[in-house]
């Protein structure tokens, strides 16, 4: 019996060795799958002219005051394009980041509670003065950027652009408007949000998608703050037009997944081109910055990269077409699962292990075992943040709907009647109404109902008292002092009658 088992084991090992050998030498001859072909097809350019694309303005936004930021951004991108897939954006050359903001000013702007732009705009006066004194040109560039079409030309590139100055100026731009008055603030918001939603829809790289989602979240919070302060009918109408839930293109992570697949293929197939450590460090710093901005982990971008097996033999197999087809199948499953609520994403192992298996499968199907030693990509945090921005837009939309709801309808009934387009994107069911707090809320990224607690859930108040009007009274001249009246002597007491005898 033992001899028979030994013979079977030896036969299995021989078959596995032949299988591995065949894969190593001929695996590349396997035809590309439909999924692989789809995930390697480049996107169509949306903006034909380089001088019109807001992406190059983003890359060169902090360029020296006397330079053209669009041309600077294009030059930086062009250098990386020459080493596509391996070169990072290089900001070390003179004139490319001259308009950087000081750390102190950066910290102040990032620390703003964005709703206070509506409630207490006066508290930002000193910061606005400081910004204008040293970086007023950034506001001019930002206004220009808002008018430009946008297409994410970072697709297929390893590096990420520097984004902090653009985002910080976005906040200052809005603060400057609301400091001048609510009408001016609303005018600027009506320009800002549609522009960022275009970026959100056309983003093809994770960093740009996160940046756009952060700006959209800012703007959605401002809309909710305005709606909760009893606006007039004209203002409600304008805000209702802005506060629309995300469309499919804005929510999609399809191109982000394809970007990671394509850059992963470059790492598989091409020799690394030496560029020096500086540009790579700059890119990693940019990614950590936007991760910190959005409250995600510092390793967010590392964890969504196409994973490489640690085993040298399996790494060789990973370069073969049969294995690449499996990677493409996984990414196809991933994109389909992005519509799930709550979030439940497939794993590499699940995709690789589809189909019949038997006891000898680990030996006879080594391609599947490429995924056994590879880490799982972690897309849930990034997907969760984009959904959070969508939840804020849906809550703002619900505020408008609830303002017009019939008085005899319960609040929960009105929320449910709004329809699936306004449901909580994290649960797939209606948003929650907290009557005691007067708030509606989404359960947020953790998927748990915390009663509308803003530290965990995403909540908005339906009604807040409007700010008191500013009354500028003329100073009153003090009147002349009045001399005190002379003391009056008390009247004599009346005489009392003597008692009768």
């Amino acid at each position: 019996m033992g001899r028979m088992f030994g013979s079977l084991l030896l036969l299995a090992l021989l078959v596995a060795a032949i299988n591995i050998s065949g894969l190593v030498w001929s695996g590349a001859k396997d035809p590309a799958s439909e999924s692989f072909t789809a995930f390697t097809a480049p996107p169509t350019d949306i903006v034909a002219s380089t001088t019109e694309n807001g992406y190059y303005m983003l890359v060169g936004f902090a360029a020296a005051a006397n330079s053209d930021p669009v041309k600077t951004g294009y030059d930086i991108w062009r250098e990386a394009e020459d080493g596509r897939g391996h070169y990072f954006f290089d900001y070390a050359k003179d004139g490319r980041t001259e308009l950087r903001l000081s750390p102190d000013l950066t910290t102040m702007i990032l620390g703003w509670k964005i709703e206070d732009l509506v409630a207490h705009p006066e508290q930002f006066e000193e910061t606005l003065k400081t910004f204008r004194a040293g970086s007023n040109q950034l506001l001019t560039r930002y206004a220009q950027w808002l008018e430009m079409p946008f297409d994410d030309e970072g697709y297929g590139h390893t590096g990420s652009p520097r984004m902090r100055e653009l985002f910080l100026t976005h906040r200052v731009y809005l603060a400057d408007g609301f400091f001048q008055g609510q009408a001016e603030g609303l005018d600027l918001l009506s320009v800002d949000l549609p522009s960022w939603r275009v970026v959100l829809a056309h983003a093809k790289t994770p960093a740009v998608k996160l940046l756009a989602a952060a700006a959209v979240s800012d703007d959605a919070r401002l809309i909710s703050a305005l709606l909760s302060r009893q606006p007039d009918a004209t203002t409600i109408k304008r805000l209702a037009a802005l506060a629309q839930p995300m469309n499919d293109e804005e929510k999609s992570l399809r191109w982000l997944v394809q970007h990671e697949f394509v850059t992963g293929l470059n790492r598989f197939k091409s020799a690394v081109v030496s560029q020096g450590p500086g540009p790579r460090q700059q890119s990693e710093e940019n990614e950590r910055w936007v991760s910190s901005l959005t409250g995600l982990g510092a390793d967010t971008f590392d964890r969504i990269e196409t994973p490489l097996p640690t085993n040298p033999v399996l790494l060789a197999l990973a370069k073969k077409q049969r294995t690449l087809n499996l990677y493409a199948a996984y990414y196809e499953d991933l994109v389909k699962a992005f519509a799930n609520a709550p979030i439940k994403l497939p794993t590499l192992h699940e995709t690789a292990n589809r189909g019949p298996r038997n006891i000898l499968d680990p030996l006879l199907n080594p391609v599947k075992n490429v995924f056994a030693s590879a880490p799982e990509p972690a897309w849930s945090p990034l997907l969760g943040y984009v959904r959070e921005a969508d939840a804020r837009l849906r809550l703002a939309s619900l505020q408008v709907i609830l303002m017009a709801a019939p008085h005899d309808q319960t609040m929960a009934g009105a929320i449910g009647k709004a329809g699936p387009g306004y449901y909580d994107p994290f649960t797939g069911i209606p948003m929650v109404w907290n009557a005691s707090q007067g708030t509606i809320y989404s359960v947020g990224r953790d998927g748990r109902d915390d009663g509308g607690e803003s530290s965990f859930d995403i909540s908005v108040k339906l009604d807040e008292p409007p700010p008191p009007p500013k009354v500028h009274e003329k100073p009153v001249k003090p009147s002349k002092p009045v001399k005190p009246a002379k003391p009056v002597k008390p009247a004599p007491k009346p005489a009392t009658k003597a008692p009768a005898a």
Side-chain angles (χ1 to χ4, degrees):
M1 188 70 177
R3 185 178 296 176
M4 183 180 295
F5 181 78
S7 299
L8 288 174
L9 180 61
L10 182 61
L11 178 62
L13 290 172
L14 180 61
V15 172
I18 294 172
N19 197 356
I20 292 174
S21 177
L23 285 168
V24 170
W25 294 109
S26 64
K29 296 178 182 178
D30 290 336
S33 65
E34 290 184 8
S35 298
F36 180 87
T37 302
F39 274 90
T40 51
T44 303
D45 286 336
I46 299 172
V47 184
S49 172
T50 58
T51 59
E52 295 176 0
N53 191 349
Y55 179 79
Y56 301 119
M57 171 71 93
L58 183 158
V59 176
F61 192 74
N66 60 351
S67 63
D68 181 348
V70 178
K71 183 181 182 305
T72 301
Y74 179 75
D75 290 343
I76 294 170
W77 175 87
R78 184 73 257 175
E79 291 172 1
E81 180 73 0
D82 290 340
R84 193 170 182 81
H86 297 291
Y87 276 1
F88 296 86
F89 296 148
D90 187 356
Y91 287 93
K93 294 183 179 179
D94 290 343
R96 291 186 170 182
T97 54
E98 298 299 311
L99 293 185
R100 285 178 292 184
L101 300 180
S102 69
D104 288 344
L105 190 56
T106 297
T107 300
M108 282 191 289
I109 297 171
L110 289 178
W112 287 354
K113 183 182 177 185
I114 201 69
E115 291 87 348
D116 283 345
L117 298 187
V118 173
H120 306 288
E122 69 283 351
Q123 73 182 36
F124 304 102
E125 183 176 7
E126 290 305 315
T127 306
L128 291 174
K129 286 180 179 178
T130 303
F131 186 95
R132 281 197 171 278
S135 307
N136 195 53
Q137 188 159 358
L138 291 179
L139 279 171
T140 303
R141 288 180 179 178
Y142 187 76
Q144 179 187 348
W145 180 82
L146 289 173
E147 301 297 327
M148 299 176 75
F150 188 91
D151 190 17
D152 190 351
E153 290 292 344
Y155 173 82
H157 285 276
T158 306
S160 296
R162 183 180 174 89
M163 297 162 283
R164 68 192 68 191
E165 283 77 22
L166 185 74
F167 182 81
L168 295 172
T169 307
H170 140 80
R171 285 196 159 183
V172 171
Y173 172 83
L174 293 170
D176 193 44
F178 282 101
F179 180 73
Q180 296 177 52
Q182 183 170 298
E184 179 67 19
L186 181 54
D187 286 344
L188 297 189
L189 179 61
S190 298
V191 176
D192 195 76
L193 180 54
S195 297
W196 277 110
R197 293 189 70 157
V198 169
V199 178
L200 189 68
H202 295 168
K204 298 181 179 69
T205 55
V208 172
K209 191 80 170 185
L210 276 181
L211 182 74
V216 169
S217 286
D218 271 1
D219 290 354
R221 293 172 83 145
L222 286 174
I223 292 172
S224 285
L226 289 165
L227 286 169
S228 69
R229 302 182 82 81
Q230 304 172 14
D232 57 40
T234 302
T235 301
I236 292 174
K237 186 176 181 180
R238 291 185 68 184
L239 293 173
L242 291 173
Q244 296 298 314
M246 287 185 191
N247 60 37
D248 290 342
E249 192 177 16
E250 291 168 336
K251 290 184 289 187
S252 175
L253 271 62
R254 167 70 170 78
W255 284 112
L256 279 62
V257 168
Q258 181 163 329
H259 163 80
E260 291 299 327
F261 184 65
V262 169
T263 53
L265 285 180
N266 287 335
R267 293 199 307 275
F268 281 172
K269 293 184 173 182
S270 307
V272 175
V273 180
S274 177
Q275 193 189 12
R280 175 188 288 273
Q281 291 170 358
Q282 294 162 14
S283 180
E284 291 173 350
E285 181 187 343
N286 295 336
E287 291 175 347
R288 284 194 297 270
W289 186 86
V290 77
S291 295
S292 174
L293 171 71
T294 53
L296 303 183
D299 60 348
T300 295
F301 291 89
D302 295 331
R303 296 179 67 199
I304 61 173
E305 287 184 351
T306 302
L308 297 172
T310 55
N311 185 298
V313 175
L314 296 179
L315 180 58
L317 289 175
K319 299 180 182 180
K320 302 304 177 181
Q321 187 61 56
R322 192 175 303 179
T323 311
L324 297 178
N325 288 345
L326 274 175
Y327 271 113
Y330 161 71
Y331 281 122
E332 187 175 52
D333 290 346
L334 191 66
V335 171
K336 291 176 182 177
F338 282 156
N340 294 340
I343 297 173
K344 186 181 184 306
L345 302 182
T347 67
L348 274 166
H349 301 163
E350 290 169 348
T351 301
N353 292 330
R354 276 203 302 252
R357 293 176 61 82
N358 56 56
I359 194 170
L360 297 178
D361 196 72
L363 296 174
L364 301 178
N365 293 289
V367 171
K368 292 183 179 180
N369 297 304
V370 167
F371 302 98
S373 66
E376 290 288 346
W379 283 90
S380 292
L382 196 149
L383 174 61
Y385 189 81
V386 174
R387 283 195 180 179
E388 185 175 297
D390 189 24
R392 293 194 183 282
L393 287 171
R394 294 185 186 202
L395 286 168
S397 298
L398 271 175
Q399 285 177 273
V400 176
I401 292 170
L402 295 175
M403 284 178 175
H407 293 293
D408 59 350
Q409 190 174 30
T410 65
M411 193 66 71
I415 292 172
K417 193 176 179 180
Y422 302 93
Y423 286 1
D424 188 341
F426 292 99
T427 62
I429 60 177
M431 300 287 188
V432 187
W433 161 243
N434 186 323
S436 63
Q437 295 181 8
T439 60
I440 50 174
Y441 63 92
S442 156
V443 300
R445 279 180 262 171
D446 64 4
R448 294 192 297 270
D449 186 342
D450 295 292
E453 167 56 47
S454 59
S455 300
F456 305 100
D457 298 333
I458 306 165
S459 63
V460 296
K461 271 197 171 293
L462 289 186
D463 194 20
E464 291 181 356
K470 294 180 179 179
V471 180
H472 301 285
E473 298 181 350
K474 293 182 178 180
V476 179
K477 292 182 179 180
S479 56
K480 293 181 179 179
V482 179
K483 292 182 179 180
K486 292 182 178 180
V488 179
K489 293 181 180 179
K493 291 182 180 181
T496 58
K497 292 182 179 180

